[in-house]
């Protein structure tokens, strides 16, 4: 069934009386039980009506409910719900409005709360937002309508059905063969790098493809807030952060995990997404013999990365001069990936990190501009990048 032709059938409100009667049975219900409940509620029971009711109960009780067909469509990476009347999907070509509708904001809220409860997370007026990973690997973020317009909002990130390699990037036109060879050399040379880009640009997918190139006899330790990185590599250990419980206890931060990872003999230390004070520990780790460290960071351009890291370092209590000193010693390069106007992802450029001796501050310098058509344009930092690769 297409995204524009999904029939939600009965709404949550219409299902509630039926569901209440079935719950009262105290056991798993059968189609005959559903038929009896329908008759008790004064509904006409035909074969087609019974089949539709059983399907509606299943759809609103398991998985992502009415969003499930969208999540299962090939190529869908994100499903976004902006209140009951606007549901979007992203198939890699930008956002597309679908025909899926909810009967009311209460239905969206009910789905969001059920998804949160399925992984032991709280979502109510006292805690009106949640970020979690479902059992199937799907990442869900929800904000209730009490603090969001035009109502309860859901953002679901679909895990990749398969692991992408650099060859896949080349085949899709996101990267040239020469660019792929250069990125491969960076991994082999154990350069410390960050993959920068905006939301949904493919940073994590590219990082996973690069980690798959790490020699099989090296140990990769991955630290993430929510597990997304799944590189095709025989020796990967993943550490996942955890928010505080309803009592405000039990939180495990990325800073905690980065510190623990250093005691796990990592050959490559990876932070899936650098977005907080954990950058301080990551930079310090890169400066204490842990070569080849890497991660992703949100940034509009490679040039913006030092400023972004400076702001994150401040969250960890590190002053401006200290952050830039750590960056200059620890980080070698930034790989920037972006999306064009049609939503197509592209590995755009590689910058090297350089320090200004007069100020002590760092900046990035263009080394290579990558053209999917195969052209490679060298920048002022190309010589430095080549020296790093040949060291």
């Amino acid at each position: 069934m297409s995204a524009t032709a999904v029939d939600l059938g009965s709404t949550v409100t219409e299902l509630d009386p039926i569901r209440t009667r079935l719950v009262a049975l105290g056991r798993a219900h059968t189609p005959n039980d559903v038929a009896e409940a329908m008759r008790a509620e004064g509904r006409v029971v035909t074969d087609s009506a019974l089949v539709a009711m059983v399907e509606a109960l299943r759809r609103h009780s398991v998985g992502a409910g009415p969003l499930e067909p969208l999540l299962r469509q090939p190529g869908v990476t994100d499903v976004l719900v902006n209140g009951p009347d606007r549901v979007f999907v992203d198939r890699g070509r930008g956002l597309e409005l679908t025909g899926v509708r909810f009967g009311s904001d209460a239905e969206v809220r009910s789905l969001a709360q059920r998804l949160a409860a399925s992984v032991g997370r709280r979502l109510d007026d006292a805690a009106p937002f949640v970020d979690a990973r479902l059992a199937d690997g799907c990442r869900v973020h929800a904000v209730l309508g009490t603090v969001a317009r035009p109502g309860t909002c859901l953002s679901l990130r679909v895990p990749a059905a398969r692991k992408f390699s650099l060859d896949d990037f080349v085949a899709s036109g996101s990267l040239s063969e020469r660019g792929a060879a250069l990125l491969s050399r960076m991994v082999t040379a154990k350069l410390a790098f960050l993959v920068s880009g905006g939301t949904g640009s493919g940073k994590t997918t590219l990082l996973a493809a690069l980690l798959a190139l790490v020699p099989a006899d090296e140990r990769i330790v991955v630290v993430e807030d929510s597990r997304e990185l799944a590189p095709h590599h025989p020796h990967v250990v993943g550490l996942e952060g955890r928010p505080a419980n309803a009592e405000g206890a039990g939180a495990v931060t990325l800073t905690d995990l980065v510190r623990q990872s250093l005691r796990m003999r990592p050959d490559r230390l990876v932070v899936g997404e650098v977005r907080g004070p954990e950058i301080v520990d990551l930079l310090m780790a890169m400066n204490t013999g842990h070569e080849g460290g890497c991660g992703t960071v949100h940034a509009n351009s490679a040039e913006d990365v030092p400023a972004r890291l400076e702001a994150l370092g401040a969250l960890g209590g590190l002053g401006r001069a200290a952050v830039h000193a750590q960056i200059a010693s620890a980080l070698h390069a930034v790989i920037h990936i972006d999306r064009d106007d049609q939503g197509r992802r592209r590995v755009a450029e590689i910058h090297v990190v350089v320090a200004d001796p007069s100020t002590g501050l760092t900046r990035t310098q263009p080394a290579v501009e990558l053209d999917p058509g195969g052209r490679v344009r060298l920048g002022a930092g190309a010589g430095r990048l080549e020296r790093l690769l040949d060291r």
Side-chain angles (χ1 to χ4, degrees):
M1 183 179 294
S2 70
T4 58
V6 176
D7 180 11
L8 298 187
S10 300
T11 67
V12 169
T13 302
E14 293 171 331
L15 293 176
D16 279 344
I18 305 296
R19 200 149 40 191
T20 299
R21 290 182 179 276
L22 296 175
V23 170
L25 296 174
R27 56 174 172 78
H29 62 262
T30 67
N32 284 336
D33 296 325
V34 176
E36 289 300 322
M38 291 174 65
R39 292 189 184 96
E41 290 297 321
R43 298 195 178 207
V44 176
V45 179
T46 64
D47 288 345
S48 59
L50 178 58
V51 169
M53 178 59 70
V54 170
E55 172 60 19
L57 288 167
R58 184 202 64 78
R59 188 169 57 238
H60 285 280
S61 301
V62 301
L67 303 179
E68 198 71 27
L70 299 179
L71 294 172
R72 299 293 171 254
Q73 287 185 8
V76 169
T77 60
D78 296 87
V79 175
L80 307 175
V81 180
N82 297 347
D85 299 323
R86 295 178 70 80
V87 179
F88 297 84
V89 296
D90 187 346
R91 296 182 176 87
R93 302 185 298 270
L95 295 178
E96 305 170 35
L97 181 64
T98 74
V100 175
R101 302 289 183 271
F102 289 81
S104 65
D105 190 66
E107 291 190 23
V108 188
R109 179 184 175 115
S110 176
L111 173 59
Q113 290 177 316
R114 180 166 58 76
L115 292 175
S118 70
V119 289
R121 300 292 297 278
R122 175 182 177 184
L123 183 62
D124 52 33
D125 288 343
F129 46 82
V130 69
D131 186 27
R133 183 176 54 83
L134 304 181
D136 64 358
C138 186
R139 182 171 176 176
V140 59
H141 182 271
V143 183
L144 296 184
T146 51
V147 294
R149 292 189 304 270
T152 299
C153 294
L154 270 171
S155 305
L156 294 106
R157 171 67 57 83
V158 184
R162 65 185 182 88
K163 296 179 174 64
F164 286 84
S165 66
L166 279 191
D167 289 339
D168 293 319
F169 274 83
V170 173
S172 67
S174 297
L175 180 65
S176 69
E177 291 185 1
R178 292 178 65 188
L182 182 55
L183 295 182
S184 180
R185 288 181 65 195
M186 291 176 60
V187 175
T188 301
K190 290 192 172 182
L191 298 196
F193 65 87
L194 292 176
V195 179
S196 64
T199 300
S201 59
K203 300 183 299 297
T204 300
T205 303
L206 177 61
L207 181 57
L210 294 175
L211 291 175
L213 304 177
V214 171
D217 60 353
E218 293 187 22
R219 174 179 171 92
I220 301 173
V221 179
V222 178
V223 174
E224 294 182 278
D225 189 46
S226 183
R227 195 181 311 158
E228 290 184 273
L229 266 175
H232 186 64
H233 189 276
H235 199 153
V236 179
V237 177
L239 304 178
E240 186 175 6
R242 184 178 67 198
N245 59 23
E247 288 73 39
V252 178
T253 68
L254 294 195
T255 298
D256 296 328
L257 295 179
V258 170
R259 292 173 180 174
Q260 295 305 313
S261 69
L262 298 179
R263 298 171 174 84
M264 300 174 67
R265 195 209 164 275
D267 291 302
R268 310 270 182 149
L269 175 57
V270 182
V271 175
E273 182 182 337
V274 178
R275 57 179 177 178
E278 67 277 358
I279 185 59
V280 174
D281 294 274
L282 177 61
L283 291 174
M284 289 181 176
M286 291 177 175
N287 274 317
T288 54
H290 294 85
E291 294 185 303
C294 54
T296 74
V297 62
H298 274 81
N300 292 327
S301 67
E303 290 93 339
D304 292 337
V305 169
R308 172 77 168 145
L309 298 185
E310 180 184 319
L312 296 178
L315 297 177
L318 213 57
R320 187 184 193 194
V323 170
H324 282 273
Q326 292 285 337
I327 294 172
S329 299
L331 192 61
H332 297 121
V334 175
I335 304 166
H336 189 71
I337 184 169
D338 61 19
R339 301 180 73 170
D340 61 21
D341 295 339
Q342 284 71 48
R344 293 172 299 198
R345 299 169 175 87
R346 182 176 73 93
V347 183
E349 54 188 348
I350 300 172
H351 282 213
V352 292
V353 176
V354 296
D356 186 335
S358 63
T359 64
L361 301 182
T362 57
R363 60 185 174 84
T364 67
Q365 188 175 51
V368 178
E369 182 180 341
L370 302 172
D371 187 324
R375 293 181 295 274
V376 174
R377 299 181 181 88
L378 302 182
R384 176 172 172 77
L385 178 60
E386 192 63 35
R387 289 191 297 273
L388 288 169
L389 294 173
D390 290 338
R391 62 182 181 155

